[in-house]
């Protein structure tokens, strides 16, 4: 749900930069933590120099005036950079580093192996036209006040200068693209062109730049819009008789899962666990629905089939929702209520560095989610945390009604648990205590999403809303979403699951509305592995908690587990597990673990 946590799909580069001034590939002492710290601090800047577009998106603005041309030569340079880093890492012994550095070592190693694999095996630059959509980073330069406006406008102008060559090379790189991704790229790029039109012109007017220079800049912006339009028509008219399938296939899927989810489980094992979990949830939901039936339906006969029964009860309970005009106010109240509950149950210390600002969603987020959490970027530790709430005030009544049934009195609270407390916001506020941007840039989606799913269950299991059967039933419905995300993703990309079977899974077995299920189908044709992160992270955190509890015996405390887990930030659960399950001993370096 949070774009920034998605690991960049493809990394393109411009020039190779050596991380070390003397040209050597690593420190001489294998036990030298200080040397590793220096190495890792230089590493990110070296990477950003190679991919300035990604750097902008992460909030690193030193290379905003540059852009990498996507050609073989530059891809070779990035590949060389990745190999060089893997080689550099081999000069250190991960086991002799402090826990923090060891995790960073593992994170860098995984990322560089991932880059190698992306360039050599996945080769999405050939078949995914969305990897050439630069509008997001241009928007960041224009809208994010990281530097004075004039400076940002000049960066914007300089970067635009690369566009003609960029798209010429993009066209040469693309072969037999995936149809769904081609359509998505055309859509995204055509809809975002305003950044070179009115948005750029309006910013220029406020800048104080001379009229003649403004004219020159506007001319280049107009030409840039034309360049991108020409690229989208090239895509539209491309003869593509043998498009690649959107289904990744077993071999690529397994490898991508390894780099992105970084789990001890294989995709097949995760899938099997999800199928088991679905069965368990259906049984629990059946029992709750039977318990609730007389309250809502009196003596009327119950539907004979389990799924039909659950669907009827869910449908009836969903009628309890707030008024359209009260949506935002209710969300604000819910955050306070959740915060008070976390404190009263002593689930974890609540000491966020930046407060959560609840706001009406900005225009560019409209239509994406009912609510979402936006943390500051990795380089902006003092920035604000926002909780964006959908602006449904002006919606037509029937659209609002269907939305409010989906986010009814029960699920609206679960949504706030997931996005804010104790989900993404609390997780972020612990992770932000580490000043190092590396963990944030390469945040594990499974840890971040897994924690949010775990957080929902934490509240329900702790007796939130007195554990009413309604609340529990609706949480199970919500939780089924994460579980079925995994079943769907693996099913579609590894097992050739049809659209019809996918719709059946989502609407009948996960009780989703048709519109929601259709959106999910679209998402699974445009992404892969990302949908696994929710259940994979959740499952791993639950497994870790069980093991930790067993090991701690009488000394186990839930608060202690939660705080300890969060203190390591957004690194993959398996690395956190290594440290949390290690027999206690003082780290030699005295490095503080965050
Ligand atoms: Zn989430």
């Amino acid at each position: 749900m949070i774009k920034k946590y998605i690991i960049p799909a493809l990394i393109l580069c411009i020039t190779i930069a050596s991380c070390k001034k003397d040209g050597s590939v690593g420190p001489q002492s294998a036990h030298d933590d200080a040397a590793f710290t220096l190495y890792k601090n230089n590493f990110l800047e070296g990477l950003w120099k190679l991919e300035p577009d990604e750097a902008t998106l992460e909030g690193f603005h030193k290379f905003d005036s540059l852009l990498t041309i996507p050609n073989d030569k530059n891809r070779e340079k990035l590949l060389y950079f990745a190999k060089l880093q893997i080689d550099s890492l081999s000069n250190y012994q991960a086991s002799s580093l402090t826990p923090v550095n060891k995790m960073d070592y593992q994170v860098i190693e995984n990322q560089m192996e991932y880059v190698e694999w992306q360039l050599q095996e996945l080769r999405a630059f050939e078949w995914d036209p969305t990897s050439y959509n630069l509008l997001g980073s241009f928007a960041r330069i224009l809208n994010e006040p990281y530097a004075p406006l004039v400076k940002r406008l000049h960066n914007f102008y300089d970067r635009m200068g690369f566009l003609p060559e960029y798209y010429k090379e993009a066209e040469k790189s693309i072969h037999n693209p995936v149809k769904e991704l081609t359509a998505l790229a055309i859509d995204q790029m055509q809809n975002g062109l305003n950044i070179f039109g009115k948005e750029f012109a309006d910013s220029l007017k406020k800048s104080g730049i001379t009229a003649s220079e403004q004219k020159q800049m506007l001319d280049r912006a107009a030409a840039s819009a034309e360049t991108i339009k020409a690229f989208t028509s090239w895509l539209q008219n491309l003869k593509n008789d043998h498009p690649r399938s959107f289904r990744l296939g077993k071999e690529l899927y397994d490898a991508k899962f390894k780099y992105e989810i970084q789990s001890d489980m294989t995709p097949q094992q995760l899938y099997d666990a999800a199928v088991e979990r679905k069965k368990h949830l259906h049984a629990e939901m059946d029992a709750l629905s039977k318990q609730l039936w007389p309250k809502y339906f009196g003596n009327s006969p119950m539907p004979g089939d389990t799924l039909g029964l659950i669907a009827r009860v869910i449908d009836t309970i969903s009628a309890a929702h707030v008024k359209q005009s009260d949506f935002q106010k209710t969300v604000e109240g819910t955050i306070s209520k959740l915060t008070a509950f976390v404190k009263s149950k002593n689930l974890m210390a609540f000491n966020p560095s930046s407060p959560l600002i609840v706001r009406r969603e900005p225009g560019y987020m409209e239509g994406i989610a009912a609510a979402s959490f936006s943390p500051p970027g990795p380089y902006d530790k003092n920035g604000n945390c926002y909780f964006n709430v959908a602006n449904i005030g002006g919606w037509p009544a029937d659209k609002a009604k269907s939305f409010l049934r989906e986010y009814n009195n029960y699920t609206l609270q679960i949504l706030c648990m997931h996005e804010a407390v104790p989900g993404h916001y609390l997780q972020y506020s612990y992770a932000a205590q580490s000043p190092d941007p590396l963990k944030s840039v390469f945040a594990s989606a499974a840890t971040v999403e897994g924690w949010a799913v775990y957080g929902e269950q934490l509240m329900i299991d702790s007796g939130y809303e007195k554990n009413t059967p309604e609340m529990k039933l609706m949480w199970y419905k919500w939780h089924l979403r994460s579980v079925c995300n995994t079943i769907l993703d693996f099913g579609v990309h590894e097992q050739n699951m049809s659209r019809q079977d996918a719709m059946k899974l989502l609407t009948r077995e996960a009780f989703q509305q048709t519109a929601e299920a259709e959106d999910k189908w679209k998402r699974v044709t445009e992404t892969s592995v990302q949908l696994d992160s929710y259940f994979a992270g959740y499952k791993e955190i639950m497994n870790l908690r069980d093991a930790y509890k067993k090991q701690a015996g009488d000394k186990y405390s839930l608060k202690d587990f939660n705080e300890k887990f969060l203190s390591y930030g957004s690194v993959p659960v398996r690395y956190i597990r290594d440290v949390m399950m290690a027999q206690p001993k003082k780290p030699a370096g005295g490095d503080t673990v965050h």
Side-chain angles (χ1 to χ4, degrees):
M1 287 187 192
I2 318 172
K3 161 73 180 88
K4 74 171 283 294
Y5 285 123
I6 297 171
I7 295 162
L10 175 72
I11 300 174
L12 300 171
C13 72
I14 188 159
T15 113
I16 183 72
S18 170
C19 279
K20 295 179 74 66
K21 290 198 175 78
D22 62 3
S24 67
V25 291
Q28 305 314 310
S29 158
H31 301 276
D32 195 348
D33 256 297
F36 181 80
T37 303
L38 192 66
Y39 162 76
K40 76 174 182 187
N41 290 342
N42 289 330
F43 160 78
L44 265 188
E45 185 158 341
L47 182 64
W48 293 148
K49 201 166 175 183
L50 299 177
E51 47 163 355
D53 177 54
E54 281 298 334
T56 305
L57 291 171
E58 293 292 347
F60 186 86
H61 295 291
K62 190 170 167 183
F63 305 118
D64 278 2
S65 61
L66 302 174
L67 187 63
T68 301
I69 303 302
N71 57 22
D72 282 343
K73 194 175 119 222
N74 287 332
R75 285 188 281 267
E76 280 300 319
K77 283 177 181 169
L78 181 60
L79 188 60
Y80 177 69
F81 176 82
K83 285 181 189 299
L84 190 66
Q85 306 315 309
I86 293 166
D87 194 40
S88 297
L89 288 172
S90 69
N91 289 292
Y92 302 91
Q93 270 177 15
S95 58
S96 67
L97 299 172
T98 58
V100 166
N101 275 344
K102 187 181 168 197
M103 284 179 185
D104 288 343
Y105 177 106
Q106 290 165 316
V107 166
I108 295 173
E109 186 180 41
N110 178 72
Q111 282 300 325
M112 292 300 99
E113 287 174 359
Y114 189 27
V115 166
E116 252 190 305
W117 177 80
Q118 284 176 312
L119 290 167
Q120 293 179 316
E121 306 296 330
L122 186 67
R123 302 179 68 81
F125 56 86
E126 290 179 346
W127 49 263
D128 181 3
T130 66
S131 52
Y132 301 102
N133 177 5
L134 303 169
L135 299 178
S137 69
F138 274 105
R140 290 288 289 267
I141 297 177
L142 203 57
N143 298 323
E144 199 177 290
Y146 63 90
L149 179 61
V150 174
K151 167 90 179 138
R152 289 186 282 123
L153 288 168
H154 280 129
N155 283 342
F156 192 101
Y157 176 76
D158 289 344
R159 185 172 279 187
M160 283 195 294
F162 292 93
L163 291 180
E165 201 191 347
Y166 182 94
Y167 283 104
K168 200 176 90 198
E169 292 300 320
E171 289 179 10
K172 278 194 216 159
S173 302
I174 294 173
H175 308 288
N176 309 324
V178 171
K179 282 200 161 161
E180 289 75 5
L181 295 170
T182 306
L184 180 65
I186 293 168
D187 214 35
Q188 282 178 343
M189 291 168 85
Q190 287 180 345
N191 290 335
L193 276 181
N194 212 12
I195 194 78
F196 296 112
K198 189 170 181 314
E199 288 178 42
F200 184 65
D202 286 351
S203 295
L204 263 186
K205 273 183 218 152
K206 290 181 240 157
S207 68
I209 291 175
T210 62
S212 63
E213 200 189 346
Q214 281 199 29
K215 161 93 177 55
Q216 190 187 347
M217 293 170 91
L218 284 171
D219 286 350
R220 186 177 280 183
S224 298
E226 286 309 315
T227 301
I228 292 173
K229 263 191 232 162
F231 177 64
T232 58
S233 12
W234 178 82
L235 284 174
Q236 259 161 343
N237 298 320
L238 185 67
K239 193 169 158 350
N240 190 11
D241 294 334
H242 304 285
R244 185 192 174 93
S245 165
F246 65 83
R247 300 176 197 271
L248 213 51
K250 181 170 167 45
E251 202 181 318
L252 291 177
Y253 190 87
D254 284 359
K256 193 174 182 200
F257 184 94
K258 182 180 106 175
Y259 295 119
E260 284 201 5
I261 302 292
Q262 298 177 72
S263 164
D264 289 330
M265 285 179 281
T266 62
Q268 181 73 52
Q269 285 167 336
L270 182 71
Y271 171 81
D272 292 343
V275 171
E276 265 314 296
R277 181 78 180 151
K278 172 162 71 77
K279 238 186 256 169
H280 169 77
L281 293 173
H282 281 164
E284 294 282 314
M285 293 170 92
D286 182 47
L288 286 167
S289 299
K290 283 181 176 141
Q291 186 189 339
L292 284 166
W293 185 267
K295 180 173 168 186
Y296 291 94
F297 300 95
N299 292 326
S300 341
M302 270 188 226
D305 70 310
T306 298
L307 296 177
L309 165 69
I310 300 169
R312 274 288 294 282
V313 176
I314 284 177
D315 188 54
T316 304
I317 293 177
S318 300
H321 58 71
V322 298
K323 280 194 287 186
Q324 189 173 353
S325 53
D326 289 345
F327 190 67
Q328 166 117 10
K329 200 173 72 192
T330 309
V331 168
E332 284 171 24
T334 303
I335 305 278
S336 311
K337 195 168 135 190
L338 294 171
T339 305
F341 184 83
V342 168
K343 287 179 180 166
S344 76
K345 293 285 173 178
N346 206 19
L347 296 178
M348 65 197 82
F350 201 99
N351 191 18
S353 48
S354 62
L356 184 65
I357 300 167
V358 182
R359 67 173 177 185
R360 187 175 283 187
E361 67 186 357
Y364 64 89
M365 287 185 178
E366 266 172 35
I368 297 170
S372 61
F373 171 64
S374 306
Y379 292 94
D380 184 20
K381 291 294 177 198
N382 299 319
N384 290 326
C385 286
Y386 291 108
F387 190 64
N388 314 296
V389 182
N391 181 18
I392 67 166
W395 286 10
D398 54 338
K399 186 179 170 192
K401 184 155 189 204
S402 141
F403 176 91
L404 289 166
R405 283 180 62 84
E406 187 65 31
Y407 297 99
N408 53 57
N409 288 353
Y410 308 100
T411 44
L412 183 56
Q413 302 193 68
I414 302 165
L415 171 73
C416 294
M417 291 173 195
H418 179 102
E419 298 293 337
V421 179
H424 291 319
Y425 171 57
L426 272 196
Q427 195 270 338
Y428 169 80
S429 65
Y430 273 81
Q433 287 167 29
S434 159
D436 179 3
L438 189 91
K439 287 189 187 67
S440 176
V441 168
F442 298 122
S444 155
T447 299
V448 171
E449 292 301 346
W451 172 267
V453 177
Y454 166 81
E456 299 157 13
Q457 179 167 336
L458 183 66
M459 300 294 270
I460 302 292
D461 286 351
S462 303
Y464 185 75
E465 289 279 73
K466 302 196 173 63
N467 237 337
T468 59
E470 282 92 341
M471 191 72 198
K472 252 189 136 160
L473 179 66
M474 292 311 265
W475 177 63
Y476 283 143
K477 176 193 181 247
W478 184 277
H479 185 55
L480 260 177
R481 236 196 234 187
S482 304
V483 173
C484 289
N485 279 348
T486 287
I487 298 175
L488 178 73
D489 204 65
F490 183 83
V492 165
H493 289 287
E494 280 220 6
Q495 298 179 319
N496 219 18
M497 181 191 268
S498 69
R499 184 179 197 280
Q500 199 185 2
D501 287 348
M503 292 299 284
K504 200 172 132 205
L505 168 77
L506 298 173
T507 56
R508 184 156 163 76
E509 296 191 56
F511 313 102
Q512 296 178 9
Q513 298 300 309
T514 308
E516 189 190 351
E518 277 168 352
D519 281 352
K520 197 50 75 67
W521 172 257
K522 187 165 183 283
R523 185 164 157 196
V524 80
T525 63
E526 294 167 350
T527 67
S528 50
V529 178
Q530 201 266 332
L531 282 168
D532 284 329
S533 57
Y534 303 83
F535 183 64
Y538 161 80
K539 178 86 185 131
E540 290 207 298
I541 295 170
M542 291 305 288
N543 289 348
L544 171 57
R545 195 176 79 176
D546 288 346
Y548 183 82
K549 192 172 178 180
K550 208 167 150 197
Q551 183 173 294
D554 306 348
K555 296 194 184 76
Y556 171 77
S557 114
L558 180 58
K559 178 173 188 278
D560 178 49
F561 171 81
N562 291 336
E563 290 177 352
K564 229 181 204 158
F565 179 85
L566 290 176
S567 73
Y568 298 105
S570 311
V571 294
V573 178
R574 72 199 278 191
Y575 303 157
I576 300 178
R577 184 191 181 97
D578 284 350
V579 185
M580 280 182 79
M581 295 305 290
Q583 292 304 327
K585 66 170 189 216
K586 284 250 177 272
D591 197 352
T592 316
V593 174
H594 285 292

